[in-house]
Amino acid sequence: MVAQTSDGHLLLVKKLGGLFAIIFGCLLIAVGVTFEYGGVTFTGVLLLVVGAVLLVLKIVRRNEGSSLP
């Protein structure tokens, strides 16, 4: 059963934004490490962290109503 929220589109944007940030961050990290570009590597790590935070916030928001035994 799917729970309906009033801000469903915002949650979808957070999920997709988080996934794209993680993917793009990993690519930037790979390029930065390969060619020894410190700034690109740092930007990739930053995007990776932002993407992970967005996904974690979405998961926490979804599980707000449920309680663990």
Side-chain angles (χ1 to χ4, degrees), residues 10-31:
L10 181 63
L11 292 176
L12 179 65
V13 169
K14 279 186 180 180
K15 182 191 256 184
L16 290 177
L19 287 174
F20 284 133
I22 288 173
I23 291 170
F24 196 60
C26 287
L27 288 173
L28 285 178
I29 290 171
V31 169

Side-chain angles (χ1 to χ4, degrees), residues 2-67:
V2 177
Q4 296 292 331
T5 61
S6 61
D7 55 351
H9 295 309
L10 181 63
L11 292 176
L12 179 65
V13 169
K14 279 186 180 180
K15 182 191 256 184
L16 290 177
L19 287 174
F20 284 133
I22 288 173
I23 291 170
F24 196 60
C26 287
L27 288 173
L28 285 178
I29 290 171
V31 169
V33 168
T34 301
F35 296 112
E36 297 177 0
Y37 295 143
V40 174
T41 305
F42 178 74
T43 305
V45 169
L46 202 62
L47 275 175
L48 190 64
V49 169
V50 167
V53 166
L54 283 175
L55 289 180
V56 166
L57 287 175
K58 186 209 174 296
I59 292 169
V60 167
R61 168 115 181 168
R62 182 183 61 194
N63 293 332
E64 243 175 23
S66 65
S67 62

